[in-house]
Amino acid sequence: MQKSTLKKWSARIAASTVIAATAALVPAATAQAGTPQQFRLCNYGRGYDTIVEFPNRGGYAFRVLAGKCTTTHVATSSNEPVKLYAVQGLQWPSSRSHLFAGFSYDDKRGIDITTRGTYGAVNWSWR
């Protein structure tokens, strides 16, 4: 094998290794936890808004409109309960709202929530 051919193969192998290593890092970067002291919710669902309620705060809640994202700082104690509701219409609570998730939130870790789907079939995830 000539030296120029060997150099070309070495360069191709090195480039392939870099591409594979970069591709392996991309999923790891997207799986990170939320930003500390930030509560973020993106509502990509259709036909409903999402209400985020902190029941231990006397019903403190905020609304994230369909197609929008909201980031806020909510100072909490660790493991504070949170409830997520799908809502149609302006009034909440109402007969056109339903609870679709409940969990504990710690602002030291932060959270990034995504909602998708429709009013009757909400799909949500967090990191």
Side-chain angles (χ1 to χ4, degrees):
M1 199 178 275
Q2 295 179 351
K3 285 186 179 182
S4 63
T5 305
L6 185 57
K7 284 183 182 180
K8 287 179 185 176
W9 277 104
S10 296
R12 288 180 185 161
I13 291 170
S16 298
T17 303
V18 169
I19 292 168
T22 303
L25 291 176
V26 171
T30 58
Q32 293 177 16
T35 303
Q37 300 181 338
Q38 286 190 0
F39 190 107
R40 182 166 200 251
L41 189 139
C42 288
N43 181 6
Y44 298 121
R46 293 183 316 273
Y48 68 92
D49 296 342
T50 300
I51 298 285
V52 179
E53 179 190 29
F54 293 83
N56 287 0
R57 295 178 177 238
Y60 168 73
F62 62 91
R63 181 183 290 246
V64 181
L65 302 175
K68 302 290 182 184
C69 293
T70 297
T71 302
T72 187
H73 171 72
V74 182
T76 67
S77 57
S78 61
N79 299 321
E80 182 166 351
V82 176
K83 295 181 179 180
L84 302 179
Y85 295 86
V87 179
Q88 289 182 317
L90 297 175
Q91 288 191 307
W92 175 81
S94 73
S95 61
R96 297 179 66 186
S97 66
H98 67 88
L99 175 69
F100 68 86
F103 54 89
S104 295
Y105 170 65
D106 183 354
D107 74 338
K108 291 175 193 71
R109 295 189 61 214
I111 194 164
D112 190 351
I113 301 169
T114 302
T115 61
R116 299 184 187 282
T118 61
Y119 174 76
V122 177
N123 179 359
W124 72 286
S125 61
W126 63 276
R127 56 181 183 173

